[in-house]
Amino acid sequence: MDILNLIRISAKALMRNKTRSALSMLGIVIGIAAVIAVVNLGEGLKQSTANQLSDMGTNLIMVMRANQRRGGVSMGSSNVQSLKVRDCELIAKNAKNVTMVSPVVNSGGQLVNGSKNWSGTVYGGSPDYLEIRKYEIATGVNFTDEDVKKYAKVGLVGQTIVKELFDEDEDPIGKTIRIGNMPFKVIGTLKEKGQNGMGMDQDDLVVMPYSTVQKRMLGVDYIQQIVCSAASEDVAEAAVEEVESILRVSHKIPDGGADDFEVRTQQEMLEMMTSMTGMITTVLVAIALISLLVGCIGIMNIMYVTVTERTKEIGLRMSIGAKNSAILLQFLTESIILSLIGGVVGMLLGLLLSYVASMAMSLPFVVNVLWMVIAFVSCAILGLISGFFPALKASRTDPINALRYE
Amino acid sequence: MNEKQSIIKVENLKRTFVVGSEEVHALKGVSFDICQGEFVSIMGSSGSGKSTLLNILGCLDQPTAGEYYIDGISVRTKSKNELSEIRNRKIGFVFQSYNLLPRTSALENVELPLVYNPDVSHRERHERAQHALELVGLKDRMGHMPNQLSGGQQQRVAIARALVNDPVIVLADEATGNLDTRTSYEIMSLFQSLHEQGKTIAFVTHESDIAVFTSRTIFLRDGHILRDESVTTKSAAAALAALPVENDY
């Protein structure tokens, strides 16, 4: 008996019981839909995290102060004052794979504009800071190296601050507002960036020349962080090594000595975030797989019922010359057809579900093709498994008894 | 006894069932021949062994002892799969309860035996099924589902199904048992016309007024052949005509 014939016979048998076939598919449909939806949503979440991290700056390399021990006493990372502007200059001069460098000094304070006030954060950087962190200027201009030299009291403000401190029809450019006790002139506004992967508002900031923050606000000569941009993603590793060796020399750290700084790449942060979303996805997929398993048991159950109910048909088929193997294959094929159709419907439903959910949660809609293939193949296998025992039972029917079965 | 080729040859056939600790001897040594073109009825009361005999003749069961040849093939040594093939090529079954597949058209029901024969193409299957349905007078009912057909028509479909593989013998098991007298006579008339066309038919029944339409009767009792005699065949068509016109409804 050829395979086409087999499929025809099985399909006809299934068509004779449309409602039941559809209902027994339902388990598989829901199971596969759940798996596909969860996997696609997980993928979307992952990509959205990745997008947000790359919003922080392409090829971003961050140099942070590290915990340092001096004479066996832990100094705590926030007390470490080892990073200096000079380090930035050395990196800019010597690191071939680094295109832009900016020191980061941050401070906070109450922002005041007339009767309005808002607690804001100030980031002090070089003129490159905006580009490294992927901020774009909405209106106005960036500050210059000249401003850095003169500790100029100028700053650019994010959209959240624009909203909180200015009236809707008020142009912030040229206005002088205060942060703490220091007045400064708003020379530009930044384009909106939204929240980052951790839910932090990236528009709630003031960017000023680092020297202004250092001298006029904090009165310090160290910096808290260095941000750099690697020339490309491919050389990010090399750039990290360059930065590390430059800083080790500059900080006079002996061979084998612990660094008093820590270099992190955007890639590492991405891996951290994706491993988190990956874990959540795995748990959800596991739950979805349970529902798929229940679906399979449903098919097996229905196939058993079908075999019993169609005892007479089996007897007839055998009496007119169907071999036991033909009966076995027929019922196996029926079960595989059920699970495959269920699988395909489930995949479509899962796609639809994940699409709707992605839209609702404003995540990117991503289709995980690998899992689509896995789902399809596992449907066939599950159909085979759940159909096997009922089919075996059918093929072992004794035609004499089956023909008399009422 | 007949110069014609013997289709079925049964020699000292025995069949014993083990029920619990007891042995039940359903057939205790039965021998007969059925030749090509014969229309034989196998009669006997319940428990006489006629169902057991029919199962063995139909290659659904195998004898405990004795030989059974169908179309010259010894059945005793055949495997399950080989028996399936013999059933598929050599035998046509007609059952008491028709055993048509529900929600499947008459034509597709008739095609069914050929589905299990890989030598028959899709097209040939279709043509042969159509021809078989024409033969039983259901040319205009091919697309009907079993539940759209009367009992007599359903049995005709079943007969067409039994004929479609061009078997060497048609085995009918109480084929008129579910039908009223008039329809029974119609079916017997159909069997008679098939017989006239040269078909070999073995008809199992317990009704003697049905057996009279055949040309030979084998009586079974308690696993033995009680009588094996030729009978003067009564025309089913004439019997049908002699029935009073039904006006009692």
Side-chain angles (χ1 to χ4, degrees):
Chain A
M1 205 161 58
D2 61 308
I3 188 100
L4 264 174
N5 219 346
L6 197 65
I7 292 171
R8 252 180 38 129
I9 292 174
S10 305
K12 269 183 191 161
L14 291 174
M15 290 296 281
R16 284 207 297 272
N17 273 306
K18 287 194 192 71
T19 315
R20 176 195 294 173
S21 302
L23 281 175
S24 49
M25 266 178 214
L26 206 57
I28 292 272
V29 170
I30 292 171
I32 291 286
V35 171
I36 295 292
V38 166
V39 166
N40 283 350
L41 276 177
E43 197 77 358
L45 200 64
K46 207 158 103 184
Q47 201 168 92
S48 133
T49 316
N51 287 347
Q52 277 164 351
L53 278 174
S54 78
D55 274 354
M56 284 171 63
T58 331
N59 316 323
L60 181 69
I61 295 169
M62 283 188 280
V63 183
M64 281 168 282
R65 301 172 296 176
N67 192 354
Q68 199 187 34
R69 287 175 179 276
R70 207 166 276 166
V73 179
S74 169
M75 307 296 287
S77 61
S78 55
N79 291 328
V80 176
Q81 301 179 357
S82 57
L83 289 179
K84 300 278 159 59
V85 176
R86 204 180 103 81
D87 293 327
C88 294
E89 285 159 2
L90 285 171
I91 291 170
K93 208 170 123 193
N94 299 323
K96 278 184 247 110
N97 292 315
V98 172
T99 51
M100 287 178 288
V101 189
S102 170
V104 180
V105 203
N106 57 326
S107 174
Q110 208 66 13
L111 289 157
V112 182
N113 177 30
S115 62
K116 295 181 172 179
N117 71 92
W118 178 252
S119 172
T121 312
V122 180
Y123 290 86
S126 73
D128 281 340
Y129 181 77
L130 292 183
E131 206 181 327
I132 295 170
R133 296 303 304 269
K134 290 278 166 186
Y135 280 102
E136 285 175 54
I137 293 170
T139 58
V141 291
N142 196 358
F143 56 85
T144 59
D145 287 330
E146 196 67 17
D147 292 326
V148 174
K149 263 180 217 158
K150 293 195 299 197
Y151 318 143
K153 291 188 268 184
V154 292
L156 294 100
V157 293
Q159 287 304 318
T160 304
I161 288 170
V162 172
K163 257 177 242 146
E164 294 297 333
L165 288 186
F166 297 94
D167 291 329
E168 246 175 73
D169 53 351
E170 198 179 354
D171 181 11
I173 308 293
K175 294 276 164 15
T176 301
I177 58 175
R178 277 194 296 126
I179 179 152
N181 293 322
M182 184 189 79
F184 72 95
K185 200 168 106 185
V186 177
I187 56 167
T189 60
L190 302 173
K191 279 190 187 162
E192 197 166 331
K193 269 184 94 167
Q195 294 189 339
N196 72 5
M198 286 158 284
M200 269 162 53
D201 182 1
Q202 299 182 93
D203 299 313
D204 184 7
L205 85 169
V206 179
V207 181
M208 284 185 184
Y210 63 90
S211 54
T212 312
V213 179
Q214 266 185 326
K215 306 294 177 206
R216 294 187 192 272
M217 291 183 72
L218 297 170
V220 296
D221 65 344
Y222 61 87
I223 56 176
Q224 284 137 340
Q225 221 182 58
I226 301 172
V227 289
C228 334
S229 228
S232 74
E233 215 172 299
D234 301 330
V235 299
E237 291 274 316
V240 167
E241 276 165 27
E242 279 177 345
V243 169
E244 276 175 347
S245 65
I246 290 167
L247 290 179
R248 282 175 77 90
V249 171
S250 151
H251 292 186
K252 300 188 175 66
I253 291 164
D255 282 346
D259 290 347
D260 58 355
F261 59 89
E262 198 181 330
V263 183
R264 276 201 202 147
T265 60
Q266 183 212 344
Q267 193 57 36
E268 284 167 356
M269 307 219 4
L270 186 70
E271 276 160 18
M272 218 171 69
M273 297 295 289
T274 49
S275 84
M276 245 164 65
T277 54
M279 238 160 67
I280 297 168
T281 310
T282 310
V283 170
L284 289 176
V285 166
I287 295 169
L289 283 177
I290 292 173
S291 70
L292 188 60
L293 184 73
V294 173
C296 285
I297 295 170
I299 285 203
M300 192 189 261
N301 191 17
I302 289 293
M303 288 310 292
Y304 266 121
V305 172
T306 302
V307 167
T308 309
E309 192 210 54
R310 283 155 67 190
T311 302
K312 216 162 180 178
E313 176 193 326
I314 296 166
L316 170 79
R317 285 181 187 274
M318 285 180 159
S319 75
I320 60 174
K323 293 177 181 154
N324 296 28
S325 57
I327 299 291
L328 181 86
L329 284 175
Q330 179 190 336
F331 281 89
L332 262 189
T333 311
E334 279 184 30
S335 144
I336 293 172
I337 289 177
L338 272 184
S339 60
L340 275 187
I341 293 179
V344 169
V345 174
M347 277 154 94
L348 295 177
L349 190 67
L351 282 177
L352 186 74
L353 272 177
S354 51
Y355 179 75
V356 170
S358 301
M359 293 300 113
M361 298 193 283
S362 59
L363 289 174
F365 174 58
V366 190
V367 177
N368 190 324
V369 180
L370 175 72
W371 268 89
M372 298 292 272
V373 175
I374 291 176
F376 192 78
V377 173
S378 54
C379 272
I381 295 171
L382 291 174
L384 198 74
I385 295 170
S386 50
F388 182 74
F389 291 103
L392 196 67
K393 185 187 169 195
S395 74
R396 287 182 178 163
T397 304
D398 174 16
I400 299 170
N401 291 332
L403 283 167
R404 278 199 207 105
Y405 184 87
E406 291 299 336
Chain B
M1 66 186 218
N2 202 320
E3 71 279 4
K4 276 185 178 170
Q5 193 200 337
S6 130
I7 294 292
I8 280 182
K9 191 174 178 64
V10 169
E11 285 170 357
N12 198 23
L13 206 65
K14 289 182 183 170
R15 181 69 171 101
T16 308
F17 296 100
V18 180
V19 181
S21 56
E22 256 181 278
E23 283 199 340
V24 177
H25 301 279
L27 291 176
K28 302 167 180 168
V30 172
S31 305
F32 61 88
D33 279 28
I34 296 175
C35 296
Q36 172 141 36
E38 270 196 295
F39 188 6
V40 182
S41 55
I42 298 171
M43 282 198 67
S45 56
S46 155
S48 61
K50 62 182 194 308
S51 292
T52 308
L53 179 61
L54 186 83
N55 288 338
I56 293 173
L57 292 183
C59 295
L60 290 168
D61 195 6
Q62 282 188 303
T64 315
E67 282 292 344
Y68 167 36
Y69 299 95
I70 179 166
D71 206 19
I73 303 162
S74 169
V75 168
R76 202 169 51 84
T77 55
K78 295 291 185 234
S79 72
K80 257 188 166 179
N81 277 344
E82 286 168 325
L83 288 180
S84 295
E85 228 170 286
I86 293 174
R87 289 200 294 273
N88 189 241
R89 313 290 151 79
K90 305 274 182 201
I91 297 167
F93 277 106
V94 181
F95 304 97
Q96 177 174 0
S97 50
Y98 330 130
N99 283 342
L100 299 179
L101 292 189
R103 275 158 279 176
T104 304
S105 74
L107 189 70
E108 282 177 298
N109 262 298
V110 175
E111 281 182 359
L112 208 57
L114 301 179
V115 166
Y116 293 101
N117 183 347
D119 302 336
V120 179
S121 72
H122 184 76
R123 206 170 132 194
E124 189 188 347
R125 184 197 309 160
H126 210 70
E127 282 165 3
R128 279 169 70 171
Q130 275 181 340
H131 180 247
L133 277 169
E134 279 170 31
L135 211 63
V136 298
L138 286 178
K139 194 181 172 184
D140 50 348
R141 293 280 195 278
M142 290 187 190
H144 285 53
M145 302 294 159
N147 60 354
Q148 297 169 313
L149 297 171
S150 70
Q153 285 169 332
Q154 288 187 53
Q155 194 59 299
R156 281 167 191 270
V157 174
I159 293 169
R161 184 180 62 197
L163 294 172
V164 77
N165 57 345
D166 199 17
V168 296
I169 188 163
V170 174
L171 294 175
D173 184 9
E174 304 274 13
T176 57
N178 278 10
L179 302 172
D180 59 49
T181 312
R182 174 172 291 274
T183 320
S184 296
Y185 287 1
E186 280 170 7
I187 292 296
M188 289 318 290
S189 157
L190 174 62
F191 272 118
Q192 283 186 341
S193 77
L194 292 172
H195 174 225
E196 276 158 30
Q197 289 165 42
K199 302 281 178 211
T200 314
I201 303 162
F203 197 101
V204 172
T205 182
H206 64 274
E207 294 170 277
S208 49
D209 61 332
I210 292 296
V212 294
F213 298 119
T214 64
S215 50
R216 174 185 161 197
T217 304
I218 298 172
F219 280 96
L220 283 179
R221 180 178 285 172
D222 299 332
H224 290 291
I225 292 182
L226 189 69
R227 288 202 305 276
D228 184 351
E229 58 190 18
S230 290
V231 290
T232 345
T233 314
K234 198 171 146 192
S235 162
L240 195 59
L243 275 182
V245 181
E246 280 182 53
N247 52 7
D248 51 349
Y249 55 85

PDB file of all heavy atoms in Angstrom, chain A residues 22 25 29 31 45 74 144 206 209 223 227 307 309 346 348 356 373:
ATOM      1  N   ALA A  22     -11.416  17.495  15.381  1.00  0.00           N
ATOM      2  CA  ALA A  22     -11.067  18.876  15.731  1.00  0.00           C
ATOM      3  C   ALA A  22     -10.820  18.990  17.228  1.00  0.00           C
ATOM      4  O   ALA A  22      -9.855  19.625  17.662  1.00  0.00           O
ATOM      5  CB  ALA A  22     -12.177  19.829  15.297  1.00  0.00           C
ATOM      6  N   MET A  25      -7.599  17.507  18.304  1.00  0.00           N
ATOM      7  CA  MET A  25      -6.482  18.351  17.885  1.00  0.00           C
ATOM      8  C   MET A  25      -6.260  19.492  18.864  1.00  0.00           C
ATOM      9  O   MET A  25      -5.151  19.993  19.001  1.00  0.00           O
ATOM     10  CB  MET A  25      -6.814  18.999  16.531  1.00  0.00           C
ATOM     11  CG  MET A  25      -6.317  18.268  15.332  1.00  0.00           C
ATOM     12  SD  MET A  25      -6.881  19.201  13.913  1.00  0.00           S
ATOM     13  CE  MET A  25      -7.169  17.866  12.792  1.00  0.00           C
ATOM     14  N   VAL A  29      -3.101  21.878  19.559  1.00  0.00           N
ATOM     15  CA  VAL A  29      -3.160  23.270  19.090  1.00  0.00           C
ATOM     16  C   VAL A  29      -2.767  24.203  20.230  1.00  0.00           C
ATOM     17  O   VAL A  29      -1.885  25.057  20.076  1.00  0.00           O
ATOM     18  CB  VAL A  29      -4.577  23.615  18.589  1.00  0.00           C
ATOM     19  CG1 VAL A  29      -4.707  25.111  18.341  1.00  0.00           C
ATOM     20  CG2 VAL A  29      -4.894  22.847  17.318  1.00  0.00           C
ATOM     21  N   GLY A  31      -1.214  23.487  23.060  1.00  0.00           N
ATOM     22  CA  GLY A  31       0.158  23.239  23.500  1.00  0.00           C
ATOM     23  C   GLY A  31       1.170  23.923  22.610  1.00  0.00           C
ATOM     24  O   GLY A  31       2.040  24.665  23.090  1.00  0.00           O
ATOM     25  N   LEU A  45      11.499  39.883  23.710  1.00  0.00           N
ATOM     26  CA  LEU A  45      11.998  40.518  24.925  1.00  0.00           C
ATOM     27  C   LEU A  45      13.518  40.651  24.867  1.00  0.00           C
ATOM     28  O   LEU A  45      14.100  41.675  25.209  1.00  0.00           O
ATOM     29  CB  LEU A  45      11.597  39.656  26.121  1.00  0.00           C
ATOM     30  CG  LEU A  45      11.593  40.302  27.487  1.00  0.00           C
ATOM     31  CD1 LEU A  45      10.559  41.411  27.542  1.00  0.00           C
ATOM     32  CD2 LEU A  45      11.310  39.273  28.560  1.00  0.00           C
ATOM     33  N   SER A  74      39.563  46.996  52.742  1.00  0.00           N
ATOM     34  CA  SER A  74      38.776  47.257  51.545  1.00  0.00           C
ATOM     35  C   SER A  74      38.326  48.696  51.546  1.00  0.00           C
ATOM     36  O   SER A  74      37.806  49.209  52.532  1.00  0.00           O
ATOM     37  CB  SER A  74      37.553  46.336  51.515  1.00  0.00           C
ATOM     38  OG  SER A  74      36.688  46.773  50.498  1.00  0.00           O
ATOM     39  N   THR A 144      31.301  72.753  23.899  1.00  0.00           N
ATOM     40  CA  THR A 144      32.536  72.569  23.145  1.00  0.00           C
ATOM     41  C   THR A 144      33.704  72.326  24.091  1.00  0.00           C
ATOM     42  O   THR A 144      33.559  72.437  25.313  1.00  0.00           O
ATOM     43  CB  THR A 144      32.852  73.835  22.323  1.00  0.00           C
ATOM     44  OG1 THR A 144      32.958  74.921  23.258  1.00  0.00           O
ATOM     45  CG2 THR A 144      31.742  74.120  21.323  1.00  0.00           C
ATOM     46  N   VAL A 206      20.787  65.950  33.010  1.00  0.00           N
ATOM     47  CA  VAL A 206      21.405  67.171  32.495  1.00  0.00           C
ATOM     48  C   VAL A 206      22.827  66.784  32.116  1.00  0.00           C
ATOM     49  O   VAL A 206      23.496  66.075  32.866  1.00  0.00           O
ATOM     50  CB  VAL A 206      21.452  68.276  33.581  1.00  0.00           C
ATOM     51  CG1 VAL A 206      22.125  69.533  33.030  1.00  0.00           C
ATOM     52  CG2 VAL A 206      20.051  68.584  34.094  1.00  0.00           C
ATOM     53  N   PRO A 209      29.699  70.012  30.798  1.00  0.00           N
ATOM     54  CA  PRO A 209      31.126  69.709  30.688  1.00  0.00           C
ATOM     55  C   PRO A 209      31.606  69.086  32.001  1.00  0.00           C
ATOM     56  O   PRO A 209      31.174  69.515  33.082  1.00  0.00           O
ATOM     57  CB  PRO A 209      31.771  71.087  30.476  1.00  0.00           C
ATOM     58  CG  PRO A 209      30.678  71.945  29.945  1.00  0.00           C
ATOM     59  CD  PRO A 209      29.416  71.440  30.540  1.00  0.00           C
ATOM     60  N   ILE A 223      37.509  61.380  38.453  1.00  0.00           N
ATOM     61  CA  ILE A 223      36.256  61.138  37.710  1.00  0.00           C
ATOM     62  C   ILE A 223      35.715  59.778  38.129  1.00  0.00           C
ATOM     63  O   ILE A 223      36.446  58.974  38.722  1.00  0.00           O
ATOM     64  CB  ILE A 223      36.477  61.189  36.174  1.00  0.00           C
ATOM     65  CG1 ILE A 223      37.562  60.192  35.771  1.00  0.00           C
ATOM     66  CG2 ILE A 223      36.790  62.589  35.739  1.00  0.00           C
ATOM     67  CD1 ILE A 223      37.772  60.121  34.287  1.00  0.00           C
ATOM     68  N   VAL A 227      33.835  56.489  29.692  1.00  0.00           N
ATOM     69  CA  VAL A 227      33.132  55.749  28.634  1.00  0.00           C
ATOM     70  C   VAL A 227      33.891  55.945  27.337  1.00  0.00           C
ATOM     71  O   VAL A 227      34.347  57.049  27.035  1.00  0.00           O
ATOM     72  CB  VAL A 227      31.654  56.180  28.466  1.00  0.00           C
ATOM     73  CG1 VAL A 227      30.812  55.711  29.641  1.00  0.00           C
ATOM     74  CG2 VAL A 227      31.527  57.675  28.279  1.00  0.00           C
ATOM     75  N   VAL A 307     -10.356   3.407  18.120  1.00  0.00           N
ATOM     76  CA  VAL A 307     -10.066   2.015  17.767  1.00  0.00           C
ATOM     77  C   VAL A 307     -11.187   1.100  18.274  1.00  0.00           C
ATOM     78  O   VAL A 307     -11.671   0.238  17.550  1.00  0.00           O
ATOM     79  CB  VAL A 307      -8.691   1.588  18.331  1.00  0.00           C
ATOM     80  CG1 VAL A 307      -8.527   0.078  18.246  1.00  0.00           C
ATOM     81  CG2 VAL A 307      -7.576   2.273  17.580  1.00  0.00           C
ATOM     82  N   GLU A 309     -14.268   1.996  18.993  1.00  0.00           N
ATOM     83  CA  GLU A 309     -15.518   2.309  18.317  1.00  0.00           C
ATOM     84  C   GLU A 309     -15.539   1.759  16.887  1.00  0.00           C
ATOM     85  O   GLU A 309     -16.578   1.411  16.364  1.00  0.00           O
ATOM     86  CB  GLU A 309     -15.718   3.821  18.301  1.00  0.00           C
ATOM     87  CG  GLU A 309     -17.087   4.240  17.901  1.00  0.00           C
ATOM     88  CD  GLU A 309     -17.078   5.584  17.222  1.00  0.00           C
ATOM     89  OE1 GLU A 309     -16.327   5.751  16.234  1.00  0.00           O
ATOM     90  OE2 GLU A 309     -17.806   6.451  17.678  1.00  0.00           O
ATOM     91  N   GLY A 346      -1.725  25.249  15.609  1.00  0.00           N
ATOM     92  CA  GLY A 346      -1.159  25.797  16.840  1.00  0.00           C
ATOM     93  C   GLY A 346      -0.052  26.800  16.561  1.00  0.00           C
ATOM     94  O   GLY A 346       0.057  27.829  17.221  1.00  0.00           O
ATOM     95  N   LEU A 348       0.241  28.654  13.854  1.00  0.00           N
ATOM     96  CA  LEU A 348      -0.365  29.889  13.351  1.00  0.00           C
ATOM     97  C   LEU A 348      -0.971  30.682  14.500  1.00  0.00           C
ATOM     98  O   LEU A 348      -0.803  31.892  14.611  1.00  0.00           O
ATOM     99  CB  LEU A 348      -1.430  29.570  12.295  1.00  0.00           C
ATOM    100  CG  LEU A 348      -0.888  28.927  11.019  1.00  0.00           C
ATOM    101  CD1 LEU A 348      -2.016  28.580  10.065  1.00  0.00           C
ATOM    102  CD2 LEU A 348       0.112  29.862  10.342  1.00  0.00           C
ATOM    103  N   VAL A 356       0.086  39.693  18.620  1.00  0.00           N
ATOM    104  CA  VAL A 356      -0.815  40.583  19.370  1.00  0.00           C
ATOM    105  C   VAL A 356      -0.165  41.020  20.683  1.00  0.00           C
ATOM    106  O   VAL A 356      -0.159  42.192  21.034  1.00  0.00           O
ATOM    107  CB  VAL A 356      -2.168  39.878  19.633  1.00  0.00           C
ATOM    108  CG1 VAL A 356      -3.022  40.679  20.599  1.00  0.00           C
ATOM    109  CG2 VAL A 356      -2.913  39.648  18.322  1.00  0.00           C
ATOM    110  N   VAL A 373      10.454  24.947  13.618  1.00  0.00           N
ATOM    111  CA  VAL A 373      10.850  23.651  13.065  1.00  0.00           C
ATOM    112  C   VAL A 373      10.769  22.584  14.155  1.00  0.00           C
ATOM    113  O   VAL A 373      10.197  21.502  13.945  1.00  0.00           O
ATOM    114  CB  VAL A 373      12.279  23.722  12.480  1.00  0.00           C
ATOM    115  CG1 VAL A 373      12.725  22.349  12.011  1.00  0.00           C
ATOM    116  CG2 VAL A 373      12.343  24.721  11.341  1.00  0.00           C
TER     117      VAL A 373
END
